[in-house]
Amino acid sequence: MSHVRAPRLTRRGILAAGGALGLGAALAACGDDKAQSGGSGGATTAASGPWSFKDDRGQTAKTDKTPSSIVAFVGVAAALHDYGVAVKGVFGPTTTKDGKADVQAGDLDVSKLTVLGNEWGQFNIEKYAALAPDLLVSTMFDDAGTLWYVPEESKKKILAVGAPSVGISVYDRQLTEPLQRMLELAKSLGADASSAKITQAKKRFEDAAARLRAATKAKPGIKVLVGSASQDIFYVSGSNLSVDLEYFKALGVNFVEPSAAALKASGGWFENLSWENVDKYQADVIMMDNRSSAVQPADITEATWKKLPAVKAGQVIPRDAEPILSYDKCAPLLENLAEAIEKAKKVS
């Protein structure tokens, strides 16, 4: 996928920016869940009858019965798991080098899953076909309908296996929208949205949002920088395009914003900084990409990083750049950021 059009920068955009450029970017409505397929984002299902779901591409996936052999991007699988919907196969960052579950796997028991590919560009079509899949699900980081981690070069062969596909957009919208859409999908697949577990998780999310709003109102001057580290480059994310940052901003978070000109080369996602220039922006709190593809703060050795006021003050927190789209997993994201702002000292 990234090797087709603009390999290096797009690759880093994919792995570093809190979202991705996607092929369609080329460097650059939630409806009633009982609505008919012609409605906005609707889903229809029956215990033993036909199943359908209209996805964020406007395409309606249909099967003769509710899918039971589901293959999904690992983060989607983790979200469905939180809603009680099991998947058989996954693709995307599932295990770390030591064999443990990747951060994007959430509470999945990865030892019981068929992993079709753990890295970018990997998708074992033979294993996929052997699962006799009746549904393929992924997120989308562009407006062109590109299914995340489904390799562009083998997409036709993958879709030719016959399972309908569903895409949930996480591009240029607030977090609450894909959260709602994922729950709608889970409901169509048999999840009980009225269960105590789901109801409590949603209430916790709403309470956390109120807490973050209150924290930003109490400390409007606290500046938050969103970063991701690689060996040679420090990436500063803009607050547009990424579902988490757009929502946090709507709740009042005062983000450090690279200029439009600085963001242009990445299609609006981030600005590249050399480690020598990592102090270009002043911030009180730094959120750092916690994905396994990024260098983690404890492993950053550059002196310029260690001299940053927020680093010296211990005001660096992790960021789930690809949130698992369940209320259970997203509530802590809001709580952690709220706590960081509540406790933050003004150091910029």
Side-chain angles (χ1 to χ4, degrees):
M1 182 172 170
S2 63
H3 303 291
V4 177
R5 298 190 181 177
R8 183 161 182 82
L9 186 52
T10 302
R11 170 67 173 172
R12 284 309 312 170
I14 287 163
L15 295 179
L21 307 183
L23 285 181
L27 286 184
C30 299
D32 185 345
D33 66 287
K34 296 180 181 177
Q36 297 302 311
S37 60
S40 174
T44 57
T45 185
S48 58
W51 173 90
S52 69
F53 185 87
K54 187 175 182 181
D55 75 359
D56 292 340
R57 300 169 296 184
Q59 299 179 12
T60 301
K62 298 179 180 180
T63 57
D64 293 336
K65 61 180 180 179
T66 304
S68 59
S69 183
I70 303 169
V71 173
F73 173 70
V74 63
V76 171
L80 292 176
H81 172 81
D82 286 349
Y83 292 131
V85 178
V87 305
K88 288 189 176 180
V90 296
F91 53 95
T94 306
T95 58
T96 57
K97 292 180 180 179
D98 58 5
K100 295 181 180 178
D102 188 274
V103 65
Q104 294 191 64
D107 293 332
L108 290 170
D109 184 347
V110 297
S111 68
K112 295 181 179 180
L113 294 170
T114 298
V115 181
L116 305 179
N118 199 58
E119 298 179 6
W120 184 258
Q122 295 179 347
F123 194 110
N124 190 309
I125 301 175
E126 290 73 23
K127 283 186 178 181
Y128 176 59
L131 291 172
D134 49 17
L135 183 62
L136 174 69
V137 191
S138 192
T139 47
M140 301 182 297
F141 281 91
D142 61 24
D143 56 6
T146 306
L147 296 176
W148 190 227
Y149 267 80
V150 174
E152 188 71 8
E153 60 271 19
S154 54
K155 179 179 68 176
K156 289 183 179 179
K157 291 182 179 180
I158 292 167
L159 297 179
V161 171
S165 64
V166 162
I168 301 297
S169 180
V170 287
Y171 175 74
D172 195 15
R173 61 201 62 205
Q174 293 183 24
L175 179 60
T176 45
E177 293 185 45
L179 268 174
Q180 175 74 14
R181 294 293 284 136
M182 191 63 72
L183 180 55
E184 289 174 357
L185 175 61
K187 286 169 66 177
S188 81
L189 295 169
D192 179 7
S194 63
S195 70
K197 180 181 178 181
I198 294 176
T199 301
Q200 291 167 7
K202 191 170 184 181
K203 176 63 163 57
R204 179 183 174 188
F205 178 87
E206 292 167 349
D207 289 345
R211 178 182 174 184
L212 179 55
R213 189 186 294 277
T216 62
K217 187 175 182 179
K219 289 188 171 182
I222 295 298
K223 290 195 235 178
V224 179
L225 182 145
V226 181
S228 184
S230 70
Q231 183 176 354
D232 302 317
I233 300 173
F234 185 79
Y235 303 87
V236 179
S237 292
S239 65
N240 293 325
L241 304 184
S242 298
V243 292
D244 60 332
L245 304 187
E246 287 202 11
Y247 186 51
F248 298 160
K249 181 169 62 174
L251 293 174
V253 176
N254 181 9
F255 284 114
V256 170
E257 298 281 5
S259 68
L263 295 170
K264 186 177 180 180
S266 70
W269 291 97
F270 58 87
E271 177 182 2
N272 294 359
L273 294 178
S274 65
W275 284 105
E276 290 76 12
N277 295 317
V278 75
D279 59 354
K280 177 178 179 179
Y281 298 107
Q282 297 298 307
D284 305 296
V285 174
I286 300 176
M287 300 177 69
M288 290 294 289
D289 186 348
N290 70 351
R291 289 174 294 182
S292 55
S293 55
V295 177
Q296 297 306 300
D299 299 320
I300 298 175
T301 59
E302 282 76 6
T304 48
W305 163 261
K306 294 180 178 181
K307 291 179 181 178
L308 293 176
V311 175
K312 292 172 68 175
Q315 295 177 175
V316 178
I317 64 172
R319 175 203 175 201
D320 289 63
E322 291 183 52
I324 293 172
L325 297 172
S326 71
Y327 289 102
D328 180 73
K329 293 298 181 292
C330 286
L333 310 185
L334 296 163
E335 293 167 345
N336 294 341
L337 181 53
E339 181 179 12
I341 292 174
E342 290 164 354
K343 293 181 177 179
K345 297 177 182 178
K346 185 68 179 174
V347 294
S348 64

